[in-house]
Amino acid sequence: MKKNYRKMHTGKKARRNRRIVMLSGVAAVSATLLVAALIVWMIITGRNNDEVVTADIDEAIFEASLEVEEEKNSEYINVNTINSIVDGGKTVSDALAARPATVEMTADNRAEFATIDNCLIVDSGKVEISVKSEGIPKSDDKYYYLFEEATYEDGIADGKEPIAKVYKSDDTSFKVDLNKGAANSRLFSKFQVAVKENDQFVSISHAKYITNPGACAGYSYGGMSHSSIKGILPDPLRIGELPDLGVNYCTYNMPLSHILTTSGGIAYTYGGVTYHFNAGIINNYDTLYKRLNSMGIDVAAIILNDASVGAFPEITHPDARGGSTAPYYMFNATNEAGVKALAAVGSFLANRYSGSGHGNVSMWVIANEVNARKEYNYMAKTDVGTYTAAYTRAFRVFYNAIKSQNSAAKVYIPIDQRWTYNTEKTGDYDAKDVLDIFASSLKDYGDINWGLAAHPYSFPNGNTAFWKASKNVNHTYSTPIITMDNIEVLTNYMHEPAMLTAEGKRRSIILSEIGYSSTSGEALQAAAIAYAYVKMEKNGNIDALMLSRQTDAGDEIAALGLALGLQTTGGQKKHSYNVFKYIDTDKRSEVISFAYNIVGTTF
């Protein structure tokens, strides 16, 4: 019996020893993996000081040896635990193999080492900023830092702190609160990525704005369905005659001097500031827009800055607050007060006219003929780049404010017919130069779906027979003037890659002003309207035209000799009235055939 007992005892001990050996081996493997993981961690975090690395490794080995001792006292380890340890080691190994290379930044590549691929509103109340790079930049630590910049800021200000940080990777993202409508709203901010170098924050990306402000909108009114592009600048005293004309679109001016007030009225708090809108005037717009909508007419509202500099200094650009007799001025996006005021105006109007029961506006035009600095969008004379940058910043504020209320609204930049006319010598700017700078800047800082509102009047405006040869009108991109004779130059240009949307599509183009005077005869005016309309329709790239105007304007006749209306100031209908009325019906041929001899061609 003793012999058998002794053998049994020996067998248990042997098995226990084998377990200890196995556990010791597992513990050793674990220690090795821990050390390997620590080394990977050191690489990831950029900790390259030899003394720190050695100390960390020694500590890891010491901790692992303690684990070995603890395992020697164990009788059993689950197979799943062993597999988990082995799988963990493989994960570390795979991560090390797949990790992008750490790259030393240089003066040449530092400024745009990383790219903000997207800057989007997600989940209605968050902003997600996606960051990509070729490799991981070497820096003081393991983080990318996200900075928020105001519309009017250029670069990271001294002493500014980041709003978020993430571990560096070649493909990562930040997520921060949008705070729509609040004093600390980020709807109008741009974002920039930085790293720490020598204990200083250094930008490594181009700043980008939010590009989908419509994602937080409460309305989505994009207009009614229409069978033609026919529109007009209406006479508010003859609105009842519009159904007889069969128009589908109307433009209407909204000067800020009319709608803003310093107190009382309709109080609207936005961005932590309370603004006031003239209740009587706003109610008049309500009535007008509801009436137009009831006739099947969509509205393009034109926001014009003629606000009193004394009462509302924050609205007007600091370089546009004096020294001009122009009726309208450059909007102000140069400081916090200006950005908040513009945002409040855009937000209030879009919220009110997008489905809240006050009538609807589907199109918004920001300012008037912005390349005409002296006449219609005054700012002290400067180079075209500085001037256009001022407008572009203000435009984006309006765009984000409007789209954040109505996701389907369209927002337009307006230009006149002077395409490459070398207008700087007169104190204005060429429309093409302004458009190019505007489009390029918007792409650089985060492209949005802006539209173009062109005014292809004849040149000069009184030249009703626009089809006659002119040294200023040709069919190339370098043409000095764009009229209805060469309108394809404009629409072709808008198909160029630099002008397309981020999705590669043609932007919305409307002719928000176009008209011909009857000063040289009603038949000539009627022929010009007929020929222009048919050319626009055949072009196929124009979403709407707004003829200027329903009724002659007495001051326009007196100052410029232009009688652009379909009716006289007394309401008498001109020859052009019936032409325009039937131009998009089955009576077209009947009403326009007279024009073939005048124009000299059948169209």
Side-chain angles (χ1 to χ4, degrees):
M1 292 295 291
K2 286 184 178 179
K3 187 176 183 180
N4 290 339
Y5 174 80
R6 193 176 292 119
K7 286 181 178 179
M8 184 178 294
H9 179 78
T10 303
K12 285 183 178 179
K13 185 174 182 180
R15 286 192 296 274
R16 184 166 57 251
N17 290 339
R18 283 195 296 272
R19 287 196 193 98
I20 291 171
V21 170
M22 179 183 72
L23 293 172
S24 298
V26 170
V29 170
S30 301
T32 302
L33 293 176
L34 284 169
V35 172
L38 180 60
I39 292 170
V40 171
W41 178 250
M42 305 303 260
I43 293 171
I44 291 172
T45 59
R47 295 171 66 185
N48 50 17
N49 184 286
D50 291 340
E51 292 181 4
V52 175
V53 171
T54 301
D56 287 341
I57 292 173
D58 288 344
E59 183 180 351
I61 293 172
F62 175 73
E63 295 291 340
S65 69
L66 289 179
E67 291 180 16
V68 172
E69 290 300 320
E70 291 172 359
E71 294 293 352
K72 286 180 179 179
N73 296 323
S74 176
E75 287 283 318
Y76 175 75
I77 186 166
N78 190 290
V79 173
N80 290 335
T81 304
I82 298 172
N83 290 339
S84 179
I85 293 170
V86 173
D87 289 344
K90 186 175 185 302
T91 299
V92 171
S93 176
D94 290 345
L96 180 59
R99 181 155 180 80
T102 299
V103 179
E104 191 82 43
M105 292 188 294
T106 68
D108 292 332
N109 70 7
R110 181 179 284 102
E112 296 193 25
F113 183 91
T115 299
I116 295 178
D117 203 38
N118 287 300
C119 188
L120 303 171
I121 296 172
V122 297
D123 306 324
S124 295
K126 297 286 185 180
V127 184
E128 186 172 64
I129 300 98
S130 302
V131 184
K132 290 186 177 179
S133 61
E134 294 292 332
I136 305 300
K138 186 177 179 182
S139 63
D140 291 357
D141 58 27
K142 58 182 175 288
Y143 296 112
Y144 280 147
Y145 296 90
L146 182 69
F147 282 83
E148 177 186 6
E149 297 174 20
T151 302
Y152 45 86
E153 291 179 324
D154 292 304
I156 301 171
D158 290 342
K160 196 161 192 175
E161 292 297 319
I163 60 173
K165 65 181 182 180
V166 296
Y167 290 122
K168 289 185 291 189
S169 176
D170 63 340
D171 188 356
T172 188
S173 65
F174 297 88
K175 191 175 283 189
V176 296
D177 291 331
L178 174 64
N179 303 325
K180 176 185 174 182
N184 61 341
S185 172
R186 294 186 169 118
L187 186 60
F188 311 99
S189 300
K190 49 185 180 284
F191 301 90
Q192 197 165 96
V193 179
V195 295
K196 266 190 175 182
E197 279 191 333
N198 300 320
D199 208 32
Q200 299 291 321
F201 290 113
V202 177
S203 173
I204 62 167
S205 76
H206 196 290
K208 291 291 178 71
Y209 289 90
I210 291 167
T211 57
N212 68 332
C216 64
Y219 298 105
S220 185
Y221 178 77
M224 294 172 259
S225 178
H226 299 295
S227 59
S228 80
I229 61 174
K230 189 165 69 176
I232 201 165
L233 174 62
D235 180 345
L237 301 178
R238 294 188 171 92
I239 294 293
E241 298 176 17
L242 292 179
D244 183 58
L245 278 171
V247 297
N248 296 306
Y249 301 94
C250 279
T251 53
Y252 217 83
N253 293 338
M254 299 193 78
L256 296 190
S257 65
H258 291 188
I259 66 175
L260 292 176
T261 185
T262 55
S263 62
I266 302 171
Y268 183 73
T269 300
Y270 192 84
V273 181
T274 299
Y275 301 88
H276 299 271
F277 293 85
N278 187 307
I281 297 297
I282 292 297
N283 288 334
N284 288 342
Y285 280 115
D286 294 351
T287 301
L288 173 65
Y289 293 160
K290 284 191 289 186
R291 189 177 181 191
L292 291 173
N293 293 161
S294 72
M295 298 173 180
I297 297 171
D298 268 313
V299 177
I302 305 169
I303 303 176
L304 299 167
N305 178 23
D306 62 345
S308 164
V309 172
F312 308 100
E314 68 275 15
I315 293 286
T316 300
H317 193 286
D319 293 339
R321 294 174 184 169
S324 173
T325 57
Y328 310 119
Y329 310 98
M330 178 72 80
F331 289 108
N332 177 33
T334 67
N335 53 38
E336 183 180 5
V339 169
K340 285 190 173 184
L342 302 189
V345 170
S347 179
F348 172 81
L349 293 176
N351 180 271
R352 192 171 185 89
Y353 299 119
S354 297
S356 63
H358 299 95
N360 297 324
V361 173
S362 59
M363 297 170 282
W364 298 91
V365 181
I366 310 303
N368 179 54
E369 297 184 354
V370 295
N371 60 297
R373 178 195 68 87
K374 287 194 309 179
E375 294 83 4
Y376 291 117
N377 196 56
Y378 177 74
M379 176 177 164
K381 185 168 173 54
T382 184
D383 63 278
V384 64
T386 300
Y387 174 87
T388 305
Y391 174 79
T392 304
R393 289 185 175 187
F395 180 93
R396 193 186 284 270
V397 173
F398 274 114
Y399 181 94
N400 280 19
I402 291 167
K403 296 284 279 188
S404 71
Q405 298 295 337
N406 179 9
S407 62
K410 297 180 181 67
V411 189
Y412 299 86
I413 172 178
I415 58 172
D416 71 14
Q417 76 273 48
R418 294 175 296 174
W419 187 243
T420 65
Y421 191 64
N422 294 323
T423 51
E424 282 205 57
K425 62 188 177 185
T426 68
D428 289 330
Y429 307 102
D430 288 346
K432 183 177 181 295
D433 289 341
V434 170
L435 186 62
D436 286 346
I437 296 168
F438 173 82
S440 176
S441 177
L442 289 179
K443 281 187 182 293
D444 286 345
Y445 285 92
D447 205 5
I448 49 180
N449 289 330
W450 56 272
L452 177 65
H455 298 173
Y457 284 106
S458 297
F459 188 80
N461 288 355
N463 181 27
T464 299
F466 64 84
W467 52 88
K468 292 185 176 180
S470 167
K471 66 178 182 179
N472 290 316
V473 179
N474 62 60
H475 298 272
T476 71
Y477 286 161
S478 61
T479 182
I481 303 294
I482 289 179
T483 70
M484 280 309 303
D485 186 55
N486 63 343
I487 191 64
E488 82 285 349
V489 172
L490 180 65
T491 56
N492 288 346
Y493 193 73
M494 292 302 291
H495 281 91
E496 290 294 318
M499 293 293 133
L500 297 177
T501 68
E503 298 77 26
K505 297 180 180 179
R506 188 262 295 169
R507 298 179 186 277
S508 177
I509 304 169
I510 62 172
L511 307 185
S512 54
E513 272 190 46
I514 184 170
Y516 301 99
S517 179
S518 62
T519 307
S520 298
E522 288 189 15
L524 185 63
Q525 180 199 36
I529 290 173
Y531 189 33
Y533 187 93
V534 173
K535 282 179 69 70
M536 280 183 263
E537 192 176 67
K538 288 182 177 179
N539 180 281
N541 291 286
I542 296 165
D543 298 329
L545 80 93
M546 282 67 165
L547 188 72
S548 182
R549 56 185 65 238
Q550 183 181 357
T551 304
D552 285 340
D555 56 349
E556 208 167 47
I557 295 173
L560 303 172
L562 298 177
L564 301 175
L566 300 177
Q567 298 167 260
T568 66
T569 54
Q572 182 180 352
K573 295 175 182 177
K574 303 179 186 178
H575 185 179
S576 57
Y577 186 96
N578 275 348
V579 170
F580 196 64
K581 174 179 178 177
Y582 294 113
I583 194 73
D584 58 346
T585 71
D586 56 7
K587 291 186 177 181
R588 173 189 288 183
S589 296
E590 179 183 336
V591 299
I592 71 170
S593 59
F594 80 95
Y596 299 156
N597 287 335
I598 296 174
V599 176
T601 187
T602 301
F603 52 89

PDB file of all heavy atoms in Angstrom, residues 38-55:
ATOM      1  N   LEU A  38       4.480  47.826 -24.655  1.00  0.00           N
ATOM      2  CA  LEU A  38       5.006  49.076 -24.120  1.00  0.00           C
ATOM      3  C   LEU A  38       5.860  49.802 -25.144  1.00  0.00           C
ATOM      4  O   LEU A  38       5.782  51.019 -25.318  1.00  0.00           O
ATOM      5  CB  LEU A  38       5.818  48.796 -22.845  1.00  0.00           C
ATOM      6  CG  LEU A  38       6.432  50.035 -22.162  1.00  0.00           C
ATOM      7  CD1 LEU A  38       5.333  51.018 -21.762  1.00  0.00           C
ATOM      8  CD2 LEU A  38       7.258  49.619 -20.964  1.00  0.00           C
ATOM      9  N   ILE A  39       6.674  49.030 -25.855  1.00  0.00           N
ATOM     10  CA  ILE A  39       7.524  49.635 -26.891  1.00  0.00           C
ATOM     11  C   ILE A  39       6.665  50.284 -27.968  1.00  0.00           C
ATOM     12  O   ILE A  39       6.929  51.397 -28.412  1.00  0.00           O
ATOM     13  CB  ILE A  39       8.474  48.578 -27.498  1.00  0.00           C
ATOM     14  CG1 ILE A  39       9.503  48.133 -26.434  1.00  0.00           C
ATOM     15  CG2 ILE A  39       9.191  49.124 -28.718  1.00  0.00           C
ATOM     16  CD1 ILE A  39      10.330  46.938 -26.849  1.00  0.00           C
ATOM     17  N   VAL A  40       5.603  49.553 -28.393  1.00  0.00           N
ATOM     18  CA  VAL A  40       4.685  50.115 -29.388  1.00  0.00           C
ATOM     19  C   VAL A  40       4.060  51.405 -28.856  1.00  0.00           C
ATOM     20  O   VAL A  40       3.967  52.412 -29.538  1.00  0.00           O
ATOM     21  CB  VAL A  40       3.584  49.089 -29.744  1.00  0.00           C
ATOM     22  CG1 VAL A  40       2.519  49.754 -30.614  1.00  0.00           C
ATOM     23  CG2 VAL A  40       4.190  47.895 -30.458  1.00  0.00           C
ATOM     24  N   TRP A  41       3.651  51.346 -27.599  1.00  0.00           N
ATOM     25  CA  TRP A  41       3.061  52.538 -26.986  1.00  0.00           C
ATOM     26  C   TRP A  41       4.025  53.715 -27.008  1.00  0.00           C
ATOM     27  O   TRP A  41       3.661  54.840 -27.263  1.00  0.00           O
ATOM     28  CB  TRP A  41       2.644  52.200 -25.568  1.00  0.00           C
ATOM     29  CG  TRP A  41       2.065  53.371 -24.834  1.00  0.00           C
ATOM     30  CD1 TRP A  41       2.592  54.062 -23.804  1.00  0.00           C
ATOM     31  CD2 TRP A  41       0.803  53.989 -25.105  1.00  0.00           C
ATOM     32  NE1 TRP A  41       1.760  55.061 -23.401  1.00  0.00           N
ATOM     33  CE2 TRP A  41       0.644  55.047 -24.191  1.00  0.00           C
ATOM     34  CE3 TRP A  41      -0.206  53.747 -26.027  1.00  0.00           C
ATOM     35  CZ2 TRP A  41      -0.463  55.839 -24.170  1.00  0.00           C
ATOM     36  CZ3 TRP A  41      -1.317  54.559 -26.010  1.00  0.00           C
ATOM     37  CH2 TRP A  41      -1.429  55.584 -25.091  1.00  0.00           C
ATOM     38  N   MET A  42       5.309  53.403 -26.717  1.00  0.00           N
ATOM     39  CA  MET A  42       6.308  54.476 -26.738  1.00  0.00           C
ATOM     40  C   MET A  42       6.451  55.062 -28.133  1.00  0.00           C
ATOM     41  O   MET A  42       6.608  56.256 -28.306  1.00  0.00           O
ATOM     42  CB  MET A  42       7.674  53.936 -26.252  1.00  0.00           C
ATOM     43  CG  MET A  42       7.592  53.270 -24.890  1.00  0.00           C
ATOM     44  SD  MET A  42       6.930  54.417 -23.674  1.00  0.00           S
ATOM     45  CE  MET A  42       8.437  54.902 -22.932  1.00  0.00           C
ATOM     46  N   ILE A  43       6.367  54.177 -29.131  1.00  0.00           N
ATOM     47  CA  ILE A  43       6.477  54.654 -30.518  1.00  0.00           C
ATOM     48  C   ILE A  43       5.281  55.522 -30.860  1.00  0.00           C
ATOM     49  O   ILE A  43       5.401  56.602 -31.430  1.00  0.00           O
ATOM     50  CB  ILE A  43       6.578  53.462 -31.491  1.00  0.00           C
ATOM     51  CG1 ILE A  43       7.901  52.722 -31.273  1.00  0.00           C
ATOM     52  CG2 ILE A  43       6.473  53.934 -32.933  1.00  0.00           C
ATOM     53  CD1 ILE A  43       7.987  51.411 -32.031  1.00  0.00           C
ATOM     54  N   ILE A  44       4.087  55.035 -30.478  1.00  0.00           N
ATOM     55  CA  ILE A  44       2.862  55.760 -30.790  1.00  0.00           C
ATOM     56  C   ILE A  44       2.867  57.143 -30.146  1.00  0.00           C
ATOM     57  O   ILE A  44       2.526  58.144 -30.747  1.00  0.00           O
ATOM     58  CB  ILE A  44       1.628  54.959 -30.320  1.00  0.00           C
ATOM     59  CG1 ILE A  44       1.466  53.699 -31.181  1.00  0.00           C
ATOM     60  CG2 ILE A  44       0.359  55.813 -30.391  1.00  0.00           C
ATOM     61  CD1 ILE A  44       0.404  52.757 -30.674  1.00  0.00           C
ATOM     62  N   THR A  45       3.249  57.169 -28.894  1.00  0.00           N
ATOM     63  CA  THR A  45       3.190  58.444 -28.174  1.00  0.00           C
ATOM     64  C   THR A  45       4.344  59.357 -28.479  1.00  0.00           C
ATOM     65  O   THR A  45       4.379  60.504 -28.062  1.00  0.00           O
ATOM     66  CB  THR A  45       3.146  58.190 -26.653  1.00  0.00           C
ATOM     67  OG1 THR A  45       4.321  57.460 -26.278  1.00  0.00           O
ATOM     68  CG2 THR A  45       1.912  57.399 -26.269  1.00  0.00           C
ATOM     69  N   GLY A  46       5.353  58.865 -29.201  1.00  0.00           N
ATOM     70  CA  GLY A  46       6.469  59.723 -29.573  1.00  0.00           C
ATOM     71  C   GLY A  46       7.452  59.939 -28.446  1.00  0.00           C
ATOM     72  O   GLY A  46       8.257  60.856 -28.481  1.00  0.00           O
ATOM     73  N   ARG A  47       7.416  59.105 -27.415  1.00  0.00           N
ATOM     74  CA  ARG A  47       8.358  59.274 -26.310  1.00  0.00           C
ATOM     75  C   ARG A  47       9.673  58.609 -26.695  1.00  0.00           C
ATOM     76  O   ARG A  47       9.840  57.404 -26.634  1.00  0.00           O
ATOM     77  CB  ARG A  47       7.773  58.643 -25.041  1.00  0.00           C
ATOM     78  CG  ARG A  47       6.511  59.336 -24.549  1.00  0.00           C
ATOM     79  CD  ARG A  47       5.850  58.577 -23.435  1.00  0.00           C
ATOM     80  NE  ARG A  47       6.689  58.560 -22.234  1.00  0.00           N
ATOM     81  CZ  ARG A  47       6.365  57.868 -21.137  1.00  0.00           C
ATOM     82  NH1 ARG A  47       5.282  57.140 -21.115  1.00  0.00           N
ATOM     83  NH2 ARG A  47       7.145  57.901 -20.094  1.00  0.00           N
ATOM     84  N   ASN A  48      10.646  59.397 -27.086  1.00  0.00           N
ATOM     85  CA  ASN A  48      11.881  58.861 -27.635  1.00  0.00           C
ATOM     86  C   ASN A  48      13.094  59.127 -26.757  1.00  0.00           C
ATOM     87  O   ASN A  48      14.231  58.987 -27.171  1.00  0.00           O
ATOM     88  CB  ASN A  48      12.129  59.425 -29.036  1.00  0.00           C
ATOM     89  CG  ASN A  48      12.009  60.937 -29.054  1.00  0.00           C
ATOM     90  OD1 ASN A  48      12.048  61.568 -28.007  1.00  0.00           O
ATOM     91  ND2 ASN A  48      11.836  61.490 -30.251  1.00  0.00           N
ATOM     92  N   ASN A  49      12.881  59.524 -25.517  1.00  0.00           N
ATOM     93  CA  ASN A  49      13.987  59.729 -24.597  1.00  0.00           C
ATOM     94  C   ASN A  49      14.470  58.389 -24.090  1.00  0.00           C
ATOM     95  O   ASN A  49      13.704  57.604 -23.525  1.00  0.00           O
ATOM     96  CB  ASN A  49      13.516  60.607 -23.421  1.00  0.00           C
ATOM     97  CG  ASN A  49      14.651  60.931 -22.468  1.00  0.00           C
ATOM     98  OD1 ASN A  49      15.063  60.065 -21.710  1.00  0.00           O
ATOM     99  ND2 ASN A  49      15.127  62.165 -22.513  1.00  0.00           N
ATOM    100  N   ASP A  50      15.781  58.053 -24.279  1.00  0.00           N
ATOM    101  CA  ASP A  50      16.298  56.721 -23.955  1.00  0.00           C
ATOM    102  C   ASP A  50      16.129  56.376 -22.492  1.00  0.00           C
ATOM    103  O   ASP A  50      15.773  55.250 -22.125  1.00  0.00           O
ATOM    104  CB  ASP A  50      17.776  56.635 -24.347  1.00  0.00           C
ATOM    105  CG  ASP A  50      17.961  56.647 -25.852  1.00  0.00           C
ATOM    106  OD1 ASP A  50      16.978  56.331 -26.556  1.00  0.00           O
ATOM    107  OD2 ASP A  50      19.060  56.967 -26.311  1.00  0.00           O
ATOM    108  N   GLU A  51      16.373  57.347 -21.620  1.00  0.00           N
ATOM    109  CA  GLU A  51      16.288  57.062 -20.204  1.00  0.00           C
ATOM    110  C   GLU A  51      14.856  56.732 -19.804  1.00  0.00           C
ATOM    111  O   GLU A  51      14.609  55.816 -19.018  1.00  0.00           O
ATOM    112  CB  GLU A  51      16.792  58.262 -19.399  1.00  0.00           C
ATOM    113  CG  GLU A  51      18.300  58.503 -19.554  1.00  0.00           C
ATOM    114  CD  GLU A  51      18.770  59.681 -18.731  1.00  0.00           C
ATOM    115  OE1 GLU A  51      17.942  60.246 -17.998  1.00  0.00           O
ATOM    116  OE2 GLU A  51      19.952  60.007 -18.810  1.00  0.00           O
ATOM    117  N   VAL A  52      13.892  57.487 -20.383  1.00  0.00           N
ATOM    118  CA  VAL A  52      12.493  57.218 -20.060  1.00  0.00           C
ATOM    119  C   VAL A  52      12.098  55.846 -20.568  1.00  0.00           C
ATOM    120  O   VAL A  52      11.433  55.070 -19.905  1.00  0.00           O
ATOM    121  CB  VAL A  52      11.588  58.303 -20.673  1.00  0.00           C
ATOM    122  CG1 VAL A  52      10.134  57.963 -20.439  1.00  0.00           C
ATOM    123  CG2 VAL A  52      11.922  59.649 -20.052  1.00  0.00           C
ATOM    124  N   VAL A  53      12.499  55.516 -21.806  1.00  0.00           N
ATOM    125  CA  VAL A  53      12.158  54.214 -22.389  1.00  0.00           C
ATOM    126  C   VAL A  53      12.733  53.093 -21.541  1.00  0.00           C
ATOM    127  O   VAL A  53      12.060  52.114 -21.205  1.00  0.00           O
ATOM    128  CB  VAL A  53      12.693  54.117 -23.839  1.00  0.00           C
ATOM    129  CG1 VAL A  53      12.528  52.715 -24.362  1.00  0.00           C
ATOM    130  CG2 VAL A  53      11.958  55.111 -24.725  1.00  0.00           C
ATOM    131  N   THR A  54      14.031  53.187 -21.154  1.00  0.00           N
ATOM    132  CA  THR A  54      14.676  52.140 -20.367  1.00  0.00           C
ATOM    133  C   THR A  54      13.969  51.966 -19.039  1.00  0.00           C
ATOM    134  O   THR A  54      13.700  50.839 -18.600  1.00  0.00           O
ATOM    135  CB  THR A  54      16.157  52.496 -20.140  1.00  0.00           C
ATOM    136  OG1 THR A  54      16.784  52.633 -21.404  1.00  0.00           O
ATOM    137  CG2 THR A  54      16.852  51.410 -19.349  1.00  0.00           C
ATOM    138  N   ALA A  55      13.636  53.070 -18.390  1.00  0.00           N
ATOM    139  CA  ALA A  55      12.962  52.987 -17.102  1.00  0.00           C
ATOM    140  C   ALA A  55      11.616  52.311 -17.224  1.00  0.00           C
ATOM    141  O   ALA A  55      11.244  51.468 -16.409  1.00  0.00           O
ATOM    142  CB  ALA A  55      12.807  54.387 -16.510  1.00  0.00           C
TER     143      ALA A  55
END
